[in-house]
Amino acid sequence: MRWLFSCMLLALLGAVQALSSSGQRLLVILEDEAEREKYSVLLEDLSSRGFHTTVQSPKADKLSLFKHGARAYDHVILLPAKSKGLGPALTANQFLDFMNNEGNVIVALSSDHATPSSVQSLLLELDIHVPSDKGALVVDHFNYDSTSAADKHDVLLLPFPKAIRPDVKNYFAGEGLIAVPRAVGQTLGNESPLILPVLRAPSTAYSYNPKDEADVVEDPFATGEQLNIVSSLQAHNSARLTVVGSAELLQNKWFAEKATINGQAVKTANRDFVQKVTAWTFKETGVLKIGKLLHYNNERVSKKLNTSVAIPEHNPKIYRIKEDVAFQIEVSEYEIDHLAPFLPVENDALQLEFSMLSPFHRLNLTPLSQTANATIFGVSFRTPDQHGIFNFRINFRRPFLTNLDEKRQVTVRHFAHDEWPRSWQISGAWVWIGGIWVTVVAWVGFVALWLYSAPTTNSVKKTQ
Amino acid sequence: MRFFRSLVPSLLVSSAAIVSAASSWSFEDAAVTVSSKGAGVGAGAKDKLSATSPLSKSVSLGATDTLKLQLTAVDGKKATRPHQAFLTLTDPATGVEESFLLNVKESGKGSLNLAHKDLPHQFLTSSKPLPASIVIGSFGSSTAYKAKVFDLNVARDPDAPLAVPEKPLRYAAEKEIHHIFRDDPRSPPKFITLIFTAAVAAALPGLFIVWATLGANANHLSKALGNAPISHAIFFGSILALEGIFFLYYTTWNLFQTLPAATVVGLVAFISGSRALSEVQERRLAGLR
């Protein structure tokens, strides 16, 4: 028995080690084995967080993102390669298939190498645009590291990004400055809500190609905050892709390098930033999970959500129109290695829709209480005065958070014949009820009269 | 590497300056002119710009106007061509930024023409003046220059249609919807209902009074009960019972309780009624009716 117990304990430990919420098989695509040393700290950090790393060259024979039709890896880091083509195993379609199967991808670009054509068409497909010419990089004459790039101003020192909107949680906040050496800037299409900037260039930055003859910038790829150093995409299936404009940002050299900005000596905080970017992309942060969902008729007694998984959801299938209904739902957020109670940021709200084709109710859910790893949200409302097939629907889509779309179908019936108010309760009906009773009594009186009335004398006279 | 080749001589030239003191970029002889269409060259208001303090009044750009910005970029005191010379407009409401490149010549003289067609729609619809900054910077050790130089007031012709693209979808909390219920059915005021109910109820005594004045009576009751006591009592009782069944159907009973009871009572009424009505016929034949 003891060995069995220790085996189980080991298995449990293994489960604790597996940190990402979507698997730990990580493929790092690196062309030059000699370059591996440059990324050793990043790779060590990842394996200490529970990822099983495989480093492969894009030219390796057996390299494939799929095995037997299923994903062979959960996450991919694509580091820049010298060759323009990445081979048949890493085409844009392969990457898109990989993401359609909920795989996560980090693409690192470098201005030293041309962006591989498969990566270019992948990013184009996603409406992320990178300069097409090799060597284009982002410079800023204001926020550069004067230790390493005193003349060329191509090593930017940027603060950690702020939240992109006041109602969006910032998963990339931190202290210090991030060194961004020789970055390839990206611009994002405006149409899609799925692509998001992670780290923007400062407003005075611009992208240019040092190989251009002109000694003045002409027709830059993009300027200012429209340039992104790190940008991301979260697909409808919550697969994530992050484009890191500067592969050097991920290298050991810049993880804690001494730098100077405007005469001030600083230490770069790339390690922290890279940890946050990889944690978000590989779904260690910003992952939501729905627990128990409860709805019930609130007319008589109110129930409390029983969070035990042992008890299945036991929700009514049918409600009546104009009935008081209460709704409760548990939502958790994955934080690095555990589920924690989820709370939306201040200006944001989790919303419940009670809908038939279109929502009849859309209500903000308020947090009622918390369990060890979930927040219980709830709201009470009255079913609309329209019968039909309705849905309780939680459709929670927010930047940087995985999509939640959960619905429970219920029937809303109209009043049964014996649920209406009785006629004597309706004051307008009293006249008619009175009429009926007058008729009843008059009829009984008429019958009695017809049966028992004796002829009167004057009527006898008349007949005579 | 061409860049290096072009950079090296300039580095050599400026290295002395770097060692002594880092110079800084700025501009001189700057002016902004707004000329309207049709007006001759040189017409329109011309405002001199200073590198150290922004223009006190805002510059207004009408729909048909062209803004012309001219300046000479200087590195320290020397007029030089910088790598970067931008005019950056910012919309304070939306945070949209757009940089416009100055066309700078070898001598450091730069110019820029700006009209409504160059501006993104956020700038055209902005209600507040847009702060305009000049950014001058280049490689090397000279400190780059960025400062607000004037406020640009975009005056739009309110009648001219503006193609503002539809706002793209962004995931955020949507507006709450509360279902608006139909009104409950309403009754007329109780006062009026009671008046009409009283009028209806008064019809019953009215009817009885009319019958009484016409000589209605129950004088034959004893005769009828004497001739056929059982059938008369049961017949009249069954008529009352039928009304009682209707009352119970109205209040509590359902149809399946009502129908059997009504059948039984109806049968009783039929049998006893034929006897009772025979008795009434006898009375009529006897000339008593």
Side-chain angles (χ1 to χ4, degrees), chain A residues 139-142 144 150-154 165 167-168 189-195 202-206 208 210-220 223-226 236 322 347-349 351 353 359-364 382-386 397-399 403 422-424 426-431 433-456 458, chain B residues 1-4 6-7 11 18 81-86 88 95-99 101-102 104 106 135-146 166 168-182 184 187-190 192-194 196-197 200-201 203-204 207-208 211 214-221 224 232-233 235-236 239-240 243 247 249-252 276-277 280 283 287-289:
Chain A
V139 288
D140 183 7
H141 302 302
F142 292 82
Y144 62 93
D151 281 330
K152 290 158 86 181
H153 300 184
D154 53 2
R165 288 203 314 248
D167 59 338
V168 170
N190 192 33
E191 291 308 310
S192 169
L194 305 174
I195 35 182
S203 63
T204 47
Y206 59 98
Y208 93 110
K211 286 188 294 183
D212 283 349
E213 298 258 351
D215 54 354
V216 63
V217 58
E218 283 165 354
D219 193 17
T223 59
E225 295 195 351
Q226 292 167 23
H236 287 298
K322 294 165 105 175
N347 302 319
D348 197 9
Q351 291 180 319
E353 286 183 358
F360 280 61
H361 278 293
R362 188 189 291 128
L363 304 163
N364 288 347
R382 174 163 279 214
T383 50
D385 51 358
Q386 171 65 51
R397 286 163 182 267
R398 296 290 183 272
N403 300 325
R422 296 308 306 264
S423 55
W424 61 80
I426 303 165
S427 69
W430 291 346
V431 180
I433 297 168
I436 288 167
W437 283 113
V438 165
T439 313
V440 166
V441 175
W443 158 249
V444 173
F446 172 74
V447 170
L449 204 64
W450 195 82
L451 287 175
Y452 310 121
S453 186
T456 53
N458 36 355
Chain B
M1 291 303 105
R2 280 185 194 122
F3 165 66
F4 267 121
S6 64
L7 193 69
L11 276 179
I18 296 165
R81 183 190 222 181
H83 192 257
Q84 178 189 21
F86 290 173
T88 305
V96 173
E97 260 185 16
E98 179 74 34
S99 293
L101 270 67
L102 268 74
V104 189
E106 203 79 52
V135 180
I136 300 173
S138 197
F139 301 104
S141 61
S142 296
T143 315
Y145 170 88
K146 182 188 181 181
E166 206 175 309
L169 172 70
R170 290 291 178 266
Y171 293 143
E174 288 179 87
K175 254 197 182 143
E176 277 195 291
I177 297 173
H178 294 275
H179 181 66
I180 297 164
F181 289 84
R182 272 170 285 225
D184 282 328
S187 287
K190 273 194 184 145
I192 292 173
T193 312
L194 286 173
F196 281 92
T197 312
V200 168
L204 186 66
L207 179 71
F208 286 155
W211 281 348
L214 288 174
N217 56 67
N219 293 342
H220 279 178
L221 180 64
H232 263 296
F235 178 58
F236 198 74
I239 284 173
L240 285 179
E243 299 300 338
F247 177 74
Y249 179 52
Y250 173 53
T251 50
T252 50
L277 291 176
V280 174
R283 257 189 285 147
L288 294 172
R289 270 172 65 88

Side-chain angles (χ1 to χ4, degrees), chain A residues 115-344:
Chain A
T115 310
S117 52
S118 72
V119 171
Q120 267 194 349
S121 46
L122 169 70
L123 296 184
L124 205 61
E125 186 90 356
L126 306 175
D127 212 7
I128 299 173
H129 305 271
V130 291
S132 52
D133 46 343
K134 182 189 164 189
L137 48 79
V138 178
V139 288
D140 183 7
H141 302 302
F142 292 82
N143 308 297
Y144 62 93
D145 173 22
S146 43
T147 309
S148 62
D151 281 330
K152 290 158 86 181
H153 300 184
D154 53 2
V155 179
L156 312 191
L157 288 174
L158 306 178
F160 276 75
K162 291 193 176 68
I164 57 166
R165 288 203 314 248
D167 59 338
V168 170
K169 190 171 169 188
N170 187 2
Y171 284 93
F172 309 99
E175 287 286 315
L177 290 170
I178 307 157
V180 183
R182 290 163 283 276
V184 180
Q186 308 113 44
T187 56
L188 307 180
N190 192 33
E191 291 308 310
S192 169
L194 305 174
I195 35 182
L196 298 162
V198 172
L199 182 64
R200 285 189 172 131
S203 63
T204 47
Y206 59 98
S207 175
Y208 93 110
N209 196 333
K211 286 188 294 183
D212 283 349
E213 298 258 351
D215 54 354
V216 63
V217 58
E218 283 165 354
D219 193 17
F221 170 67
T223 59
E225 295 195 351
Q226 292 167 23
L227 263 178
N228 287 283
I229 309 288
V230 180
S231 45
S232 69
L233 169 123
Q234 180 177 267
H236 287 298
N237 64 356
S238 300
R240 288 168 176 178
L241 173 124
T242 303
V243 184
V244 179
S246 162
E248 282 181 78
L249 193 151
L250 307 170
Q251 290 177 357
N252 302 354
K253 180 177 184 294
W254 293 101
F255 266 23
E257 175 76 357
K258 286 192 185 73
T260 320
I261 179 163
N262 301 330
Q264 273 187 317
V266 289
K267 205 166 194 187
T268 62
N270 284 26
R271 190 174 186 170
D272 187 23
F273 179 67
V274 170
Q275 189 267 332
K276 278 171 176 144
V277 169
T278 51
W280 180 80
T281 314
F282 298 155
K283 290 197 187 153
E284 289 171 278
T285 54
V287 178
L288 297 184
K289 185 172 169 287
I290 282 185
K292 222 167 220 189
L293 190 155
L294 189 79
H295 54 84
Y296 55 87
N297 178 326
N298 201 19
E299 304 244 289
R300 286 165 288 270
V301 280
S302 65
K303 285 188 251 177
K304 198 167 179 273
L305 179 62
N306 190 328
T307 54
S308 159
V309 247
I311 301 167
E313 282 176 18
H314 188 73
N315 290 324
K317 289 269 182 290
I318 187 161
Y319 288 103
R320 202 199 62 207
I321 60 169
K322 294 165 105 175
E323 196 170 40
D324 288 326
V325 168
F327 177 88
Q328 287 180 11
I329 190 167
E330 264 182 76
V331 186
S332 326
E333 182 181 6
Y334 198 77
E335 274 177 8
I336 305 294
D337 56 355
H338 66 283
L339 286 170
F342 167 73
L343 275 179

